[in-house]
């Protein structure tokens, strides 16, 4: 309801090594690993004014690339949604 469609996460057509099967294929799925509060990492607080910052530049954040949903599906855990950043 009134939510712009450009807020949806988009995976660009890039080729990366799949974190599951190790093949370098078109990335179909990604998993962001966001450190939880209370971890060893210092996590900056998120607010709308900092959403321009690339997530991959946030200390402690890792991204895994998968060649398919199947490769990325097992144990997939999304610790946040885009809406956590944009409110
Ligand atoms: Zn794979």
């Amino acid at each position: 309801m009134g939510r712009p469609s450009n807020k949806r996460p988009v995976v660009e057509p890039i080729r990366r090594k799949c974190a599951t099967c190790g093949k370098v294929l078109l990335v179909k799925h990604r998993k962001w690993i966001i450190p939880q509060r209370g971890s060893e990492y210092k996590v900056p607080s998120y607010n709308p004014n900092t959403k321009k910052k690339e997530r991959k530049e946030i200390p402690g954040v890792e991204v895994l690339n998968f060649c398919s949903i199947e490769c990325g599906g097992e144990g997939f855990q999304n610790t946040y949604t885009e809406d956590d950043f944009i409110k």
Side-chain angles (χ1 to χ4, degrees):
M1 187 169 99
R3 191 164 282 168
S5 60
N6 64 359
K7 298 291 173 58
R8 296 169 65 196
V10 174
V11 178
E12 322 91 79
I14 52 170
R15 291 165 75 91
R16 287 289 151 76
K17 187 176 180 183
C18 175
T20 299
C21 69
K23 294 173 185 170
V24 179
L25 294 168
L26 202 66
V27 173
K28 295 272 183 63
H29 188 68
R30 280 173 149 178
K31 179 159 110 177
W32 293 90
I33 301 173
I34 312 293
Q36 297 298 305
R37 197 186 297 242
S39 74
E40 62 187 296
Y41 298 107
K42 287 187 170 69
V43 182
S45 59
Y46 300 115
N47 68 62
N49 294 328
T50 61
K51 72 183 172 69
K52 287 178 190 167
K53 190 178 179 74
E54 290 287 325
R55 275 173 288 180
K56 67 184 107 176
E57 292 176 0
I58 298 171
V61 172
E62 289 182 71
V63 61
L64 297 177
N65 299 293
F66 301 101
C67 68
S68 67
I69 298 292
E70 285 73 25
C71 275
E74 195 171 337
F76 176 77
Q77 47 182 321
N78 205 0
T79 56
Y80 69 97
T81 68
E82 287 292 310
D83 287 349
D84 287 337
F85 291 92
I86 304 155
K87 279 185 176 164

